[in-house]
């Protein structure tokens, strides 16, 4: 969602803030701003639009000093215009605040502050914090922040500076990630490790409820009752090159092409080929606990929800455990059947998605054990789950998830293999699956070779206004994911459907204008899907068929064919994802869309 950066040290903060904001621009990019202490007072610069706009404002009207805080915004309250951009200043200009999250009682607080004579300049919920901290200030910034937060309901990651107590940045988190970066003679604050990686690898992840007081040569963490807290220092293990484009036009394309390696990394050291199983060090589930699981609930959002659907099929087919997939956003508002014999698998690339985190907490509250499948190391879900499987896909910067999706499916396959081999699955079948997983990176490599053909197809369909994506069995979730990819980056309306379900409604949409993408590899339901392709052809629809063999039954049915290599049925959606991702990518590029930063979206959705 939004990004927060802070710097305190001997140098001018502005370059650090701008660099950090640029690296976090993928998280929120409708407006940005910085505030810093110039030796006598606070100054701010803000701009609507991308960081480049803020850079231009700072070039025209430079400010210098330290400490400084910065923010890149994804609008919740009020449109993305300069007056709503963060930082927000208090009435007398002595306090500046940046904030991720939502202050739920801002209306009440605003009315009370207006009653005290404060004049609001923005439509945001954040501005109440600035005024409230000014109102409560009695000498130490951290005391005023703590006092203010006691009156606040909602979620936040905040950074605050004050000209009345200028030697520090005070930060606090509840539901929105923040970390302290420990430098030499300087310290940093960020919502995302990528923002500070060029300066330090030593970080302290803040927990919900933490308040941090960051000075240039020390920091301390307290809780909302001002009690000191001990937090350990972690080391960021990935490299800067992983968050740079490396010669590709977009992060999304780079991440699509990284998949042979990213899935290899998800599997590294985990597959045991001879035993047909997997070794997963972090799941924290004993043999007895694995044997006691009665049912599994998988909860996630968006793309991660699509991988969950594939996981459900794995778990039921191979481990024979009743499994349900729940949208995280719905899960906690109903009365799910979850108890201490339930395993709740939580899937999240970012590990910060507010709905998913809340669903996981609800599952825990009901006594379930939780297992997080998370990409971002040190993220909140990864720290709060009972056990986990890190995806190790490397940082995913493109807003549209690609390599994290395929790694999620791999992680689900590994976990299923482990669980199934303990319960119902023969070693022979286990070995077959393990070997197929092992061979997968090469197949993804081969599927990527089809990129030029996919690009040609994209050229033909770039002006379409609607798309249907159809698949059956394991490839129905792949179809859903293909449709999501297309709509989020190209803004073309697209729907995914189980292919046979089409005749119960969506078939009415088929005409000569309607491209229909079939995910139809040669698997156990291939003959069935051929009939569905015929139904579309008979109505003049344009078919783009992703398939894996020369099949006489497809003759005359494919306006376009995309050939992918074959593997086990259960792993086909991973291979099929490659052309689906590429098709969305090339169509979006040809339409002139900003694929890495699609409108209205943000990489990590930390509001409900
Ligand atoms: C789609 C996409 C989103 C995310 C969803 C969940 O390309 O990226 O649909 O999958 O917001 O995010 P995570 O996996 O971070 O919980």
């Amino acid at each position: 969602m939004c990004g927060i950066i802070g710097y305190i040290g001997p140098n001018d903060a502005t370059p650090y803030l701008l660099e950090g904001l640029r690296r976090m621009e993928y998280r929120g990019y409708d407006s940005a701003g910085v505030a810093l202490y110039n030796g006598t007072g606070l100054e701010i610069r803000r701009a609507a639009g991308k960081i480049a706009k803020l850079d231009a404002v700072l070039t025209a009207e430079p400010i210098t000093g330290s400490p400084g805080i910065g923010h890149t915004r994804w609008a919740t309250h009020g449109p993305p215009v300069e007056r709503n951009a963060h930082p927000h200043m208090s009435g007398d200009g002595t306090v500046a605040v940046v904030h991720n999250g939502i202050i739920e009682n801002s209306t009440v607080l605003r009315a009370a502050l207006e009653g005290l004579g404060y004049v609001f300049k923005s439509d945001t919920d954040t501005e109440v914090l600035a005024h409230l901290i000014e109102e409560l200030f009695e000498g130490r910034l951290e005391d005023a922040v703590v006092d203010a937060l006691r009156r606040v309901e909602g979620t936040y990651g905040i950074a605050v500076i004050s000209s009345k107590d200028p030697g520090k940045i005070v930060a606090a988190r509840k539901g929105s990630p923040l970390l302290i970066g420990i430098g030499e003679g300087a310290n940093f604050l960020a919502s995302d490790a990528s923002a500070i990686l060029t300066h330090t690898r030593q970080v302290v992840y803040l927990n919900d409820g933490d308040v941090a007081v960051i000075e240039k040569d020390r920091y301390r963490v307290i809780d909302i009752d001002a009690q000191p807290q001990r937090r350990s220092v972690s080391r960021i293990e990935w490299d800067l090159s992983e968050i740079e484009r490396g010669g590709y036009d977009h992060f999304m394309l780079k991440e699509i092409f990284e998949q042979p390696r990213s899935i290899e990394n998800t599997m590294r050291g985990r597959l045991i080929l001879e035993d047909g199983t997997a070794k997963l060090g972090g799941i924290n589930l004993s043999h007895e606990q694995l044997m006691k699981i009665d049912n599994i609930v998988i909860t996630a959002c968006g793309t991660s929800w699509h991988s969950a659907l594939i996981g459900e099929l794995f778990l039921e087919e191979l481990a024979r455990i009743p499994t349900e997939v729940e949208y995280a956003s719905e899960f906690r508002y109903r009365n799910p059947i979850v108890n201490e014999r339930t395993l709740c698998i939580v899937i999240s690339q970012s590990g910060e998605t507010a709905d998913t985190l809340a669903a996981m907490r609800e599952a825990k509250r009901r006594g379930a054990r939780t297992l997080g499948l998370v990409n971002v190391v040190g993220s909140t879900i990864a720290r709060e789950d009972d056990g986990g499987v890190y995806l190790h896909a490397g940082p995913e910067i493109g807003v549209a998830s690609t390599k994290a999706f395929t790694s999620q499916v791999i992680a689900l396959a590994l976990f299923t293999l482990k669980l199934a081999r303990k319960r119902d699955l023969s070693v022979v079948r286990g070995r077959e699956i393990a070997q197929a997983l092992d061979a997968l990176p090469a197949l993804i490599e081969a599927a990527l070779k089809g990129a030029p053909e996919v690009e040609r197809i994209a050229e033909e369909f770039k002006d379409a206004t609607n798309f249907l994506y159809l698949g059956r069995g394991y490839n129905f979730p792949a179809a859903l994911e293909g449709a999501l990819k297309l709509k989020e980056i190209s803004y073309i309306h697209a729907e995914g459907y189980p292919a046979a379900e089409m005749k119960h409604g969506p078939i009415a949409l088929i005409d000569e204008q309607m491209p229909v993408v079939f995910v139809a590899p040669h698997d156990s339901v291939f003959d069935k899907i051929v009939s569905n392709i015929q139904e579309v052809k008979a109505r003049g629809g344009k078919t783009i068929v992703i398939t894996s063999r020369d099949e006489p039954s497809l003759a005359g049915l494919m306006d376009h064919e995309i050939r992918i290599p074959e593997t086990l049925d259960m792993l086909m959606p991973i291979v099929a994802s490659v052309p689906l991702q590429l098709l969305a990518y090339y169509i979006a590029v040809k339409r002139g869309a900003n694929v890495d930063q699609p409108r209205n979206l943000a990489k990590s959705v930390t509001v409900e």
Side-chain angles (χ1 to χ4, degrees):
M1 205 113 255
C2 316
I4 287 179
I5 175 81
Y7 168 85
I8 182 161
N11 302 325
D12 172 29
T14 318
Y16 296 98
L17 301 182
L18 272 178
E19 182 198 346
L21 291 177
R22 263 194 214 97
R23 294 207 185 277
M24 287 188 297
E25 197 168 21
Y26 73 104
R27 297 185 69 110
Y29 33 79
D30 57 39
S31 53
V34 296
L36 44 81
Y37 178 65
N38 65 10
T40 48
L42 298 184
E43 281 194 81
I44 63 168
R45 297 287 183 269
R46 302 183 297 190
K50 299 276 164 72
I51 307 300
K53 293 268 173 52
L54 176 66
D55 199 352
V57 168
L58 279 161
T59 309
E61 294 174 77
I63 46 174
T64 55
S66 167
I69 53 176
H71 189 263
T72 173
R73 179 170 185 249
W74 185 87
T76 56
H77 288 59
V81 292
E82 193 202 323
R83 71 167 193 287
N84 290 330
H86 300 213
H88 291 283
M89 287 269 228
S90 65
D92 67 0
T94 60
V95 174
V97 178
V98 294
H99 166 223
N100 292 348
I102 293 180
I103 307 297
E104 282 162 8
N105 59 342
S106 65
T107 313
V108 180
L109 291 172
R110 185 174 176 135
L113 287 159
E114 279 170 342
L116 293 172
Y118 286 92
V119 177
F120 281 75
K121 301 191 194 80
S122 76
D123 314 318
T124 67
D125 51 336
T126 304
E127 196 181 345
V128 299
L129 280 176
H131 298 312
L132 194 56
I133 294 167
E134 177 197 312
E135 177 64 22
L136 298 169
F137 191 90
E138 283 181 351
R140 283 206 317 173
L141 183 58
E142 58 271 36
D143 297 339
V145 170
V146 162
D147 217 358
L149 292 178
R150 286 207 194 102
R151 294 157 208 244
V152 157
E153 285 160 24
T155 57
Y156 49 79
I158 58 167
V160 190
I161 54 174
S162 170
S163 55
K164 291 200 277 188
D165 191 8
K168 60 184 71 154
I169 300 172
V170 177
R173 83 156 269 179
K174 184 176 160 208
S176 199
L178 277 181
L179 53 89
I180 303 170
I182 304 165
E184 279 176 20
N187 285 317
F188 301 84
L189 173 77
S191 52
D192 185 326
S194 63
I196 55 166
L197 191 62
T198 42
H199 308 294
T200 180
R201 289 182 170 275
Q202 305 292 107
V203 298
V204 173
Y205 294 106
L206 296 182
N207 287 348
D208 273 353
D210 283 354
V211 177
V213 184
I214 306 160
E215 298 174 46
K216 70 177 185 327
D217 42 18
R218 58 186 178 152
Y219 66 88
R220 61 198 167 88
V221 180
I222 54 176
D223 66 11
I224 200 86
D225 297 316
Q227 294 305 306
Q229 303 294 308
R230 285 180 75 85
R231 296 283 171 260
S232 55
V233 178
S234 310
R235 194 183 145 75
I236 303 170
E237 297 295 349
W238 42 272
D239 286 321
L240 200 58
S241 61
E242 295 183 54
I243 53 168
E244 285 172 346
R245 285 212 307 266
Y248 286 90
D249 287 345
H250 296 97
F251 280 110
M252 182 177 176
L253 190 63
K254 175 184 175 234
E255 287 158 6
I256 292 172
F257 273 85
E258 268 172 9
Q259 289 176 107
R261 265 178 299 121
S262 53
I263 64 168
E264 204 165 72
N265 287 339
T266 310
M267 291 188 278
R268 191 179 308 285
R270 289 171 164 170
L271 267 184
I272 308 175
L273 292 174
E274 341 45 283
D275 296 341
T277 186
K279 187 171 75 192
L280 297 167
I283 62 175
N284 295 338
L285 283 161
S286 64
H287 174 77
E288 290 66 37
Q289 283 169 317
L290 285 172
M291 298 308 286
K292 266 206 232 146
I293 298 168
D294 276 351
N295 69 316
I296 295 178
V297 172
I298 317 182
T299 187
C301 302
T303 288
S304 301
W305 186 80
H306 294 153
S307 71
L309 293 177
I310 300 174
E312 175 184 21
L313 300 176
F314 289 167
L315 287 158
E316 293 204 334
E317 181 180 330
L318 301 169
R320 310 294 301 147
I321 300 179
T323 304
E324 257 185 285
V325 175
E326 295 274 0
Y327 282 115
S329 53
E330 294 294 318
F331 179 77
R332 69 183 161 138
Y333 294 112
R334 53 187 213 84
N335 194 5
I337 301 173
V338 166
N339 56 42
E340 50 295 332
R341 292 181 75 101
T342 305
L343 176 69
C344 178
I345 301 180
V346 181
I347 309 179
S348 175
Q349 186 288 128
S350 61
E352 300 293 352
T353 302
D355 289 322
T356 312
L357 179 59
M360 181 177 84
R361 288 177 177 158
E362 177 60 19
K364 271 187 151 183
R365 199 183 63 77
R366 288 171 182 258
R369 281 197 68 83
T370 56
L371 179 74
L373 270 48
V374 171
N375 195 34
V376 178
V377 174
S379 57
T380 311
I381 292 175
R383 285 183 296 133
E384 287 193 19
D385 58 22
D386 295 316
V389 181
Y390 273 126
L391 304 181
H392 297 311
E396 190 179 66
I397 306 290
V399 164
S401 188
T402 52
K403 63 175 180 172
F405 172 72
T406 44
S407 284
Q408 287 166 349
V409 181
I410 297 280
L412 283 160
L414 293 173
F415 178 68
T416 304
L417 204 51
K418 181 174 175 79
L419 187 58
R421 285 282 293 111
K422 288 205 177 288
R423 297 174 66 124
D424 223 29
L425 194 75
S426 73
V427 66
V428 177
R429 180 98 173 98
R431 274 190 202 134
E432 189 193 5
I433 295 168
Q435 277 156 8
L437 280 165
D438 198 40
L440 212 47
L443 301 191
I444 301 288
E445 201 79 70
L448 285 164
K449 296 231 160 59
E453 177 56 17
V454 179
E455 188 171 3
R456 276 190 288 279
I457 297 172
E459 180 62 36
E460 181 168 337
F461 291 102
K462 66 179 192 305
D463 298 319
T465 48
N466 290 290
F467 259 85
L468 257 185
Y469 283 72
L470 303 177
R472 300 188 77 146
Y474 281 109
N475 293 304
F476 160 53
L480 288 177
E481 176 57 9
L484 178 65
K485 286 288 86 86
L486 184 72
K487 71 184 127 190
E488 65 185 337
I489 59 170
S490 73
Y491 319 137
I492 296 174
H493 169 249
E495 271 189 73
Y497 244 81
E501 188 64 20
M502 173 191 64
K503 57 186 172 296
H504 300 290
I507 199 163
L509 298 169
I510 309 284
D511 63 12
E512 295 73 26
Q513 311 304 320
M514 177 65 109
V516 184
V517 179
F518 281 93
V519 189
H522 190 93
D523 60 8
S524 61
V525 286
F526 176 76
D527 293 337
K528 304 281 166 204
I529 205 166
V530 171
S531 315
N532 306 133
I533 303 175
Q534 274 161 346
E535 287 155 13
V536 169
K537 265 324 276 175
R539 286 157 185 85
K542 294 269 181 299
T543 57
I544 301 164
V545 182
I546 299 173
T547 191
S548 57
R549 277 189 204 176
D550 267 333
E551 276 291 343
S553 55
L554 284 175
L557 294 182
M558 302 187 287
D559 292 303
H560 295 277
E561 178 186 0
I562 300 173
R563 192 62 82 82
I564 52 173
E566 247 171 49
T567 174
L568 299 180
D569 286 11
M570 64 178 277
L571 303 180
M572 277 318 292
I574 302 178
V575 186
S577 291
V578 170
L580 291 168
Q581 295 163 350
L582 287 169
L583 186 63
Y585 171 79
Y586 286 122
I587 289 178
V589 169
K590 287 173 191 298
R591 288 167 71 94
N594 183 344
V595 291
D596 280 339
Q597 295 172 351
R599 70 182 181 207
N600 304 339
L601 292 176
K603 186 65 188 160
S604 156
V605 184
T606 51
V607 292
E608 225 194 286

